[in-house]
Amino acid sequence: MSRIIHVVGAVILRDGLVMAAQRGAGQSMAGMWEFPGGKIEPGETPEQSLARELREELLVEVEVGDFVARSDYDYSFGTVRLDAYVCRLVSGQPQLTEHEAVGWFTPEELAGLDWAPADVPVVVELEKLLSAQGR
């Protein structure tokens, strides 16, 4: 059994668009898109972790909202368990500290991005959720 690495990702929505971040050069899966976030540290809830990670990675404050989906993906180094939550920007504009780029996409554009494998099931669930809401 491989080790489980529990991470969180932010589905940031604004004006009908979804934010995605492109992994930077020198990182594993460089150039692939992901929902920004990171590892849950001991003693943190997923929501606390997500707010902290976004402060560190994108220099923004967010309000963490509803759970979107969970994805488990087996990489060579272990299984990444990604829990994704809807987030709302409270203050700041995303700054690139670790990522190559940040983009805002329509729900229809999401499927055309080259996503990190753990994020793909979240994209599928998000598309269902947004189409059910008429977005």
Side-chain angles (χ1 to χ4, degrees):
M1 175 132 181
S2 65
R3 71 181 182 120
I4 294 179
I5 303 154
H6 200 173
V7 301
V8 286
V11 177
I12 301 173
L13 303 174
R14 182 176 72 190
D15 300 327
L17 301 176
V18 180
M19 193 189 89
Q22 190 175 36
R23 295 180 64 83
Q27 295 181 325
S28 66
M29 297 177 284
M32 297 184 105
W33 292 87
E34 67 180 358
F35 295 109
K39 280 200 284 191
I40 299 173
E41 299 295 337
E44 286 183 321
T45 66
E47 294 87 351
Q48 289 168 333
S49 175
L50 193 50
R52 175 188 53 77
E53 286 284 349
L54 294 174
R55 270 193 305 275
E56 293 172 3
E57 282 185 18
L58 297 173
L59 309 178
V60 295
E61 294 293 328
V62 297
E63 178 181 281
V64 180
D66 293 337
F67 177 80
V68 175
R70 169 174 281 176
S71 165
D72 287 326
Y73 190 84
D74 294 324
Y75 291 97
S76 60
F77 55 83
T79 299
V80 170
R81 172 166 290 156
L82 169 63
D83 286 342
Y85 293 82
V86 171
C87 291
R88 183 180 67 83
L89 284 175
V90 174
S91 67
Q93 290 300 314
Q95 306 292 311
L96 301 177
T97 64
E98 295 182 17
H99 293 92
E100 186 74 25
V102 169
W104 294 92
F105 302 94
T106 66
E108 297 77 23
E109 292 171 319
L110 296 178
L113 298 177
D114 185 17
W115 288 95
D119 290 76
V120 171
V122 174
V123 173
V124 171
E125 289 303 312
L126 179 60
E127 288 172 333
K128 290 178 194 173
L129 177 70
L130 293 176
S131 73
Q133 293 177 352
R135 292 188 187 178

